[in-house]
């Protein structure tokens, strides 16, 4: 199992902003789809990532609308 991923998110809509990259690590828990959950150090960015690299973003608090990353890159 991959322990870390780099999630790449699109930049600001309508601009030429750089993409945001967030590194997430395995939390040891499983998401609603049964796949491992990964989180950034703050715990705000949480994602369930399948063994095929499919990403489902998980809300970590009320009124949060998590964006879907463009790419999930496994890290060593």
């Amino acid at each position: 199992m991959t322990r870390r991923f780099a999630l790449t998110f699109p930049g600001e809509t309508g601009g030429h902003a750089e993409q945001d990259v967030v590194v997430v690590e395995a939390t040891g828990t499983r998401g609603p789809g049964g796949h491992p959950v990964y989180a950034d150090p703050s715990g705000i960015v949480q994602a369930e990532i399948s063994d095929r690299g499919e990403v489902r973003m998980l809300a970590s608090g009320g009124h949060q609308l998590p964006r879907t990353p463009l790419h999930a890159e496994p890290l060593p």
Side-chain angles (χ1 to χ4, degrees), residues 27-52:
T27 64
T29 61
R30 297 213 171 255
H35 303 288
V37 172
Y38 297 79
D40 74 332
S42 72
I44 294 172
V45 176
Q46 295 184 15
E48 177 182 14
I49 304 176
S50 76
D51 55 352
R52 294 186 310 227

